[in-house]
Amino acid sequence: MRLAVISPEALEPREPAVLARLFAAGLECYHIRKPAVPAAALENWLQALPVAWRPHFVLHTHHELVARLNLGGRHYREVDAARLPRPSGFASRACHDLVTLRSAVGHYDSVLLSPVFPSVSKPGHLPDARLAHTEIVATLAARTPHERRTAVLALGGITRETAPLARDLGFDGVAVLGAIWRAPDPERAFGDLQHALFAHAA
């Protein structure tokens, strides 16, 4: 199981210190989603962080910075993935229904499927009928070996309580935002998620 963390949207002062603790605790993939931050400001922010972290960063905007700074990869919104060719290097994309997911597996390194559970960071953002859990189970179980090269991560409402449910649905991992950044102690919240995902895995 994989455990990815998504950044807060703003350039939050505590973020670098929290990140240092999360990487020390075993974080492997950090999605940087800051849609309102201009490219120059985002580049300056990234350059101020340790170079050793860069391979772990997946950038959601200003993709030109990936090659310039040797970052880990790019993430595409569903609307962008539909109109752009799949790039070289690590590529992740968003999916919001199972039809789109079926067309994406085997073509991307990672897919974030959402919302699987009621969102923590977006109150009122609920799963819809297109993501019925019984259908998720069937879709993930039916993947071919080639399609399983794409890691499908559950996004939306991921907490220490729901993370094991995502594992049981057949996901390859989870991506979490609100449960980390809304927690009084993000490092402890990350550790709780690790324990929930891995301690009782079969």
Side-chain angles (χ1 to χ4, degrees), residues 3 19 23 30 35 37 41 63 68 102-103 135 139 148 172 176:
L3 174 54
L19 264 183
F23 279 125
Y30 190 63
V37 177
H63 288 167
R68 189 180 306 167
R102 293 184 191 105
S103 70
E135 294 297 321
T139 298
R148 289 179 184 275
D172 303 306
V176 60

Side-chain angles (χ1 to χ4, degrees), residues 78 94-98 100-101 112-115 125 128 130-131:
E78 190 171 76
C95 288
H96 301 292
D97 61 70
L98 296 178
T100 307
L101 175 66
L112 304 186
L113 182 66
S114 69
H125 190 50
D128 61 34
R130 297 178 301 171
L131 291 180

Side-chain angles (χ1 to χ4, degrees), residues 45-102:
W45 182 79
L46 287 165
Q47 288 180 327
L49 300 176
V51 174
W53 295 356
R54 293 183 184 181
H56 303 281
F57 290 157
V58 177
L59 203 57
H60 284 225
T61 55
H62 308 304
H63 288 167
E64 69 277 6
L65 298 178
V66 172
R68 189 180 306 167
L69 299 178
N70 293 315
L71 306 182
R74 301 168 175 84
H75 178 84
Y76 292 85
R77 297 180 304 164
E78 190 171 76
V79 63
D80 295 328
R83 64 182 178 82
L84 296 173
R86 191 248 189 248
S88 60
F90 182 93
S92 170
R93 67 158 291 175
C95 288
H96 301 292
D97 61 70
L98 296 178
V99 172
T100 307
L101 175 66
R102 293 184 191 105

Side-chain angles (χ1 to χ4, degrees), residues 101-113:
L101 175 66
R102 293 184 191 105
S103 70
V105 291
H107 301 286
Y108 287 81
D109 299 288
S110 179
V111 167
L112 304 186
L113 182 66

